Amino acid sequence: QKEVEQDPGPLSVPEGAIVSLNCTYSNSAFQYFMWYRQYSRKGPELLMYTYSSGNKEDGRFTAQVDKSSKYISLFIRDSQPSDSATYLCAMSGGSGNTPLVFGKGTRLSVIA
Amino acid sequence: DTGVSQDPRHKITKRGQNVTFRCDPISEHNRLYWYRQTLGQGPEFLTYFQNEAQLEKSRLLSDRFSAERPKGSFSTLEIQRTEQGDSAMYLCASSLGWGNYEQYFGPGTRLTVT
């Protein structure tokens, strides 16, 4: 079993839909959780960063962490064609400056 | 603030040749990380530095790989005697450290070994 599991998709939604992206993990030491967006042949771009359990909102994006279930989510409201990309969850434990462990990424297409 | 930069962006090399990649982190970021990403996979950790000290190396980093960060500024990743399995995107990331853990990635160097 991999430390971080993420459904690779692809996921296709109509413009304006609410998108839900999820990851599960097995290492209870993980404390820091991030979501990255990666366009084709580009480097990952940091979208959201949360520490421990709880919710965090930034514009159309909401990140949720449920440490008791070892489950994290990213919600995108009012999705746009420009949101079409691969979304990677990543996490680290201990001091937080340790290397990130990534999921495989979910490929999202938002259709106009 | 210009972000993390990497050079070259693309490299095509023949099997058996040596290649070197460069990463310039965000100014004042004292942590620098190298990751490797293959098609359809998330990035995998290779090694990281705090200032000039290399703190951890993944078991993915074979003896053919070496990384340096002289003077705690830019970093280089060298692959000796390249193999076709080394073909991947090599990503560099930096973080401020000191309680600030967000890692910012560069555009990557895409390596193709023929």
Side-chain angles (χ1 to χ4, degrees), chain B residues 4-62:
Chain B
V4 178
S5 61
Q6 292 187 245
D7 185 69
R9 295 291 306 277
H10 305 276
K11 178 73 177 178
I12 300 174
T13 191
K14 293 187 174 171
R15 190 176 56 188
Q17 298 294 305
N18 298 345
V19 294
T20 300
F21 309 140
R22 177 180 169 125
C23 170
D24 286 87
I26 294 171
S27 176
E28 298 180 358
H29 279 198
N30 65 42
R31 295 247 172 171
L32 186 149
Y33 305 79
W34 285 99
Y35 294 84
R36 180 170 69 186
Q37 186 177 26
T38 53
L39 201 61
Q41 303 295 319
E44 292 179 295
F45 165 71
L46 292 178
T47 187
Y48 83 102
F49 295 83
Q50 177 167 305
N51 298 314
E52 65 276 9
Q54 189 172 18
L55 295 188
E56 187 176 340
K57 292 193 287 188
S58 161
R59 56 185 168 79
L60 289 177
L61 212 67
S62 76

Side-chain angles (χ1 to χ4, degrees), chain A residues 3 10-13 17 24 28-29 40-41 43-44 47 49 51 53-55 69 74 79 88 91 95 108-109 111-112:
Chain A
E3 276 192 293
L11 180 62
S12 185
V13 301
T24 59
S28 57
S40 181
R41 297 183 175 267
L47 280 178
Y49 164 79
Y51 168 69
S53 285
N55 294 358
S69 302
L74 177 72
S79 56
L88 296 154
M91 46 200 81
S95 68
L108 171 68
S109 293
I111 311 301

Side-chain angles (χ1 to χ4, degrees), chain A residues 52-73:
Chain A
S52 197
S53 285
N55 294 358
K56 184 174 183 179
E57 188 172 322
D58 184 1
R60 296 184 296 112
F61 299 92
T62 299
Q64 289 185 350
V65 174
D66 181 348
K67 289 192 68 182
S68 63
S69 302
K70 298 190 178 68
Y71 187 87
I72 69 170
S73 302

